[in-house]
Amino acid sequence: MSIVVTGATGHLGRLIVASLLDRGVPADQIVAVGRDVDRLAGLAGRGVATQHVDYEDPESLQAAFAGAEQLMFVSGSEVGRRVVQHGNVVTAAKAAGIGLVAYTSIPKADTSSLVLAAEHKATEQLILDAGLPHVFLRNSWYLENYTDQLPTYLQHGVAGAAGDGRVSAATRADYAEAATVVLTTEGHTNQVYELGGAPFTMTEMAAELSRQSGNTVTYLDLPVDKYTELLVAAGLPEGYAAVLADGDRGLAQGELEVAGDDLAKLLGRRAITLAEAIRAAL
């Protein structure tokens, strides 16, 4: 079994490669690819084949996918460019005769109103139109989106535009393990998995952080436009700030709360909880 993992220079892709190794996939059967091969040196040191790939470079994709049986397609990070880039990946995967494409998508990609969902919906359709055997891993938000900001929360509190909406966030490691299960076990072809952990509101997150830190942390809910302005004032580019604020708008409307327990079923256990993630990060 040969598995190509794209985006292996990123957090999720790297964790997927590590999880494949932990599950006993031989290192010489894994190809980790990304734009900066130097950043793959650690994986190469574990015996994993590494290769330069750029989603903008069809020839690099064709070379990396040649002879591969499975493709772990980690979505690109360049919002606004992903339909073109992902189209190149799908074209190369079809030409290579890939037997299974596992794609990291977003919850409810086919119906979501999130700005971020449009490119995922388009990519899923490209995969379907290509007739590729596939698995759509519709990952909700990462818990790290929040735990990485704990110092800021402790100093300034939590602000957003999420209202009382709940987000089914989970750790990158849990999403990576779920992807590995899909790649190494049978029965997943042409399945759609809506993946996420136990849901929580921003107010609940602030309360949990208060409980564990001993400091009072509150959640300030803002209109979407005011939250965008706050993010811009904090130094984020306006376009990126608008996308983040739109994510909170969708969260408020339930677009990031995942029904069912697909993640727990794939993992064979419950996902890491918000409380556990905060405890580990403090």
Side-chain angles (χ1 to χ4, degrees):
M1 178 196 309
S2 57
I3 304 171
V4 176
V5 181
T6 71
T9 55
H11 293 297
L12 181 61
R14 186 178 298 274
L15 286 169
I16 291 171
V17 174
S19 183
L20 286 168
L21 292 169
D22 290 343
R23 288 185 69 87
V25 177
D28 62 3
Q29 294 298 304
I30 304 170
V31 182
V33 305
R35 284 184 292 192
D36 186 350
V37 178
D38 290 342
R39 293 178 61 190
L40 299 172
L43 296 175
R46 299 182 67 181
V48 173
T50 62
Q51 199 162 334
H52 166 77
V53 152
D54 189 324
Y55 288 168
E56 301 271 4
D57 181 359
E59 290 186 3
S60 72
L61 292 163
Q62 293 162 13
F65 295 174
E69 297 175 36
Q70 295 183 325
L71 172 63
M72 181 62 243
F73 179 7
V74 177
S75 58
S77 60
E78 297 179 65
V79 177
R81 289 290 304 159
R82 290 190 288 189
V83 175
V84 172
Q85 293 175 344
H86 291 179
N88 292 336
V89 175
V90 172
T91 298
K94 183 174 182 178
I98 298 286
L100 181 70
V101 176
Y103 172 67
T104 58
S105 190
I106 198 169
K108 311 170 189 175
D110 51 342
T111 60
S112 175
S113 69
L114 287 176
V115 168
L116 283 175
E119 290 176 313
H120 289 294
K121 179 180 180 179
T123 302
E124 289 188 4
Q125 192 61 52
L126 287 171
I127 293 170
L128 293 171
D129 290 346
L132 287 163
H134 61 272
V135 183
F136 295 150
L137 302 168
R138 291 178 171 174
N139 298 339
S140 188
W141 271 195
Y142 301 139
L143 277 170
E144 289 86 351
N145 291 354
Y146 304 108
T147 57
D148 286 353
Q149 299 186 71
L150 294 189
T152 299
Y153 294 158
L154 287 168
Q155 184 174 1
H156 301 291
V158 182
D164 294 323
R166 304 200 302 170
V167 56
S168 299
T171 63
R172 288 191 184 96
D174 277 349
Y175 289 129
E177 185 177 337
T180 299
V181 170
V182 163
L183 293 167
T184 58
T185 60
E186 300 295 328
H188 306 290
T189 301
N190 298 337
Q191 296 299 306
V192 177
Y193 294 119
E194 301 280 352
L195 302 177
F200 56 88
T201 67
M202 294 301 98
T203 298
E204 290 168 343
M205 180 184 69
E208 181 61 30
L209 179 55
S210 297
R211 186 184 71 80
Q212 292 199 36
S213 68
N215 299 322
T216 300
V217 180
T218 59
Y219 172 61
L220 173 64
D221 194 57
L222 298 168
V224 173
D225 59 340
K226 296 299 182 183
Y227 184 42
T228 304
E229 292 173 7
L230 179 66
L231 293 172
V232 171
L236 295 184
E238 187 169 354
Y240 182 49
V243 169
L244 291 181
D246 181 73
D248 263 23
R249 176 200 60 78
L251 197 165
Q253 296 175 359
E255 306 227 28
L256 292 167
E257 182 174 2
V258 172
D261 56 355
D262 284 352
L263 182 57
K265 286 179 179 177
L266 288 174
L267 295 175
R269 59 171 174 80
R270 64 168 177 77
I272 298 299
T273 65
L274 171 68
E276 291 167 334
I278 289 176
R279 187 175 306 116
L282 283 176

